[in-house]
Amino acid sequence: MATVSHIPYFSNILNRIIDIEVTGHWGHPILMFPSSYGTYTQNRDFGLNETVMHYVDQGRIKLYNIETLDGWSFYADHMSSENKIANYEQYLEFMVQELIPKIQQDCNTHRVAVAGCSFGGYHAGNIAFRFPDLVSHLFSMSGVFNIRNLTPLSDDMRIYFNCPDEFVLNDEPWKYNHMHIVLNTSDWDICLSRNQRMHHVLNTKGITHWYDERRWMEHDWPLWKMVFPEYIATYF
């Protein structure tokens, strides 16, 4: 049975502890994000981790489930849009300069996979498209790719650079040639149109990806628990 460790990781950049749950002993690292307001154990609590435990036990993948700071950024209704995006940029700095280098060292690899459901899919997708050289695989399940509705009344350019369905249109497609990109949604998904939009953007740029639109499924865990092990089996 795979080992599960809980790590209170102190970030010098954020000047606070970020909780991380590590599942497995070896394998390609998958950095996983919870949905909005979810705890860092959410993917285990709702059974998503269990769907791929066979691959964890075999040492093919290793899961890193991380705390997000949505309540300190995009979902902090008392904050201005400028403060929200400034805090999120600081969180990204922590990811890129502190956490991902630690995972690279732990797993002896240059690139990590990223995954998430709903707003966790946003976190995964934004990191993948912002920092493609660090990411090998993107598994976005019912994700979103734009945060302008959460940062209203602002023309701060940092918002643009955190909306993948906008900045990828002006990016060089060769940056993503190495990456395995999966966008999952369904015909009953409240995020269907957002995934269709990102799918269109990637097609427009000629960026290879797997757009997986299921039938008769809602924006919820049964969909995500069904598709996640299929993606892992395909790539690992």
Side-chain angles (χ1 to χ4, degrees):
M1 178 175 289
T3 58
V4 178
S5 303
H6 295 266
I7 301 173
Y9 185 98
F10 182 80
S11 165
N12 290 299
I13 290 172
L14 297 172
N15 193 31
R16 61 173 290 168
I17 287 173
I18 297 292
D19 288 316
I20 303 169
E21 180 185 74
V22 181
T23 305
H25 61 285
W26 190 248
H28 193 86
I30 303 180
L31 182 56
M32 300 176 66
F33 300 88
S35 63
S36 52
Y37 287 118
T39 69
Y40 73 106
T41 63
Q42 185 194 60
N43 288 317
R44 174 172 58 85
D45 295 340
F46 282 84
L48 188 67
N49 289 6
E50 185 62 32
T51 66
V52 296
M53 201 56 62
H54 175 67
Y55 305 98
V56 174
D57 289 338
Q58 290 182 337
R60 293 160 68 176
I61 59 174
K62 186 175 181 179
L63 308 181
Y64 289 79
N65 279 268
I66 181 173
E67 176 186 7
T68 57
L69 300 180
D70 296 342
W72 182 64
S73 55
F74 295 127
Y75 286 92
D77 294 338
H78 64 286
M79 286 186 182
S80 68
S81 294
E82 290 77 16
N83 283 341
K84 288 180 181 182
I85 201 66
N87 288 345
Y88 181 66
E89 281 285 325
Q90 194 175 22
Y91 180 72
L92 288 181
E93 186 181 354
F94 150 71
M95 297 288 298
V96 172
Q97 295 188 22
E98 292 183 328
L99 181 61
I100 291 179
K102 171 178 169 49
I103 296 174
Q104 290 169 324
Q105 184 178 33
D106 287 348
C107 299
N108 192 28
T109 186
H110 174 59
R111 295 188 174 108
V112 304
V114 291
C117 308
S118 193
F119 204 65
Y122 166 77
H123 288 297
N126 194 49
I127 286 175
F129 292 118
R130 278 283 301 273
F131 309 102
D133 188 51
L134 297 177
V135 176
S136 59
H137 304 71
L138 164 62
F139 305 115
S140 174
M141 294 163 281
S142 299
V144 298
F145 305 94
N146 195 294
I147 42 83
R148 289 200 181 273
N149 63 311
L150 299 172
T151 53
L153 305 176
S154 176
D155 57 1
D156 192 318
M157 280 301 293
R158 292 174 296 182
I159 296 172
Y160 165 80
F161 285 110
N162 286 285
C163 293
D165 64 356
E166 296 182 20
F167 72 75
V168 171
L169 274 173
N170 298 308
D171 215 343
E172 296 292 336
W174 61 264
K175 293 180 180 180
Y176 310 102
N177 286 345
H178 66 277
M179 195 187 304
H180 300 288
I181 301 171
V182 179
L183 308 183
N184 165 257
T185 185
S186 68
D187 55 355
W188 293 352
D189 188 358
I190 59 174
C191 292
L192 173 61
S193 63
R194 300 184 181 201
N195 282 270
Q196 290 174 330
R197 161 73 177 165
M198 196 68 217
H199 172 49
H200 173 73
V201 167
L202 296 178
N203 277 340
T204 298
K205 299 297 291 186
I207 298 171
T208 301
H209 65 288
W210 176 5
Y211 175 72
D212 184 17
E213 183 178 321
R214 298 295 170 113
R215 296 290 178 265
W216 308 302
M217 300 289 288
E218 296 182 353
H219 183 93
D220 208 344
W221 293 98
L223 169 63
W224 309 327
K225 288 165 65 176
M226 177 177 69
V227 299
F228 190 45
E230 294 183 22
Y231 303 148
I232 299 303
T234 299
Y235 293 108
F236 296 104

